[in-house]
Amino acid sequence: MRATYLAMEATGWFVLVPFSLASLLTGVAQSLGTKWGLFRHYWVLVKLLINVIATIILLLYMQTLSSLAGVATEPILDLSGPTDPSPVLHAGAALLLLLVATTLAVYKPRGMTRYGQRKQHEERTAQP
């Protein structure tokens, strides 16, 4: 149990957090450089919102995980009480968010924002 919390802390800080921030930055960069745009389609905005919320929750949860890893380094650890279900709940919620984001990226549901509709109209009228 101790090794698990210590490994989760190291993996979280050195793998999950950098990849989460990289995902956020590359997603914004790609959306600005493609025809989909950042504010043209609702599904792109939903994916951005999912990514921002997941990154914030990950950063907040890393504080909890660091404190659990700190407790795991203590020489005497009392495991007689109930264990914390938080890691399993957070992992399950993260998996659900990843599945939703993947589904949105694959199927690209219709529906443009007002900004997207206006830009599309401007592009159509500007072409001879």
Side-chain angles (χ1 to χ4, degrees), residues 1 8-11 13 15 20 26 30 32 44 50 58 71 74 82-83 85 89 92-93 99 104 110 120 123 125 128:
M1 189 74 168
M8 285 190 331
E9 180 192 28
T11 303
W13 284 117
V15 177
S20 179
T26 58
Q30 284 182 335
L32 292 174
V44 177
I50 287 172
L58 174 65
V71 169
E74 297 295 322
T83 58
L89 293 175
L99 289 173
L104 287 172
R110 294 183 184 208
Q120 186 178 38
E123 290 172 359
T125 57

Side-chain angles (χ1 to χ4, degrees), residues 15-26 51-52 54-56 58-59:
V15 177
L16 295 178
V17 170
F19 281 167
S20 179
L21 295 173
S23 171
L24 185 60
L25 292 174
T26 58
N51 200 330
V52 168
T55 301
I56 290 170
L58 174 65
L59 291 172

Side-chain angles (χ1 to χ4, degrees), residues 116-127:
Q117 291 171 351
R118 185 170 28 107
K119 282 293 193 183
Q120 186 178 38
H121 180 71
E122 289 173 2
E123 290 172 359
R124 287 182 180 168
T125 57
Q127 295 176 353

Side-chain angles (χ1 to χ4, degrees), residues 64-111:
T64 303
L65 198 54
S66 292
S67 68
L68 290 172
V71 169
T73 60
E74 297 295 322
I76 298 175
L77 184 60
D78 181 22
L79 295 176
S80 61
T83 58
D84 184 17
S86 183
V88 175
L89 293 175
H90 281 89
L95 180 62
L96 180 66
L97 289 176
L98 286 172
L99 289 173
V100 169
T102 302
T103 302
L104 287 172
V106 170
Y107 293 107
K108 296 175 183 53
R110 294 183 184 208

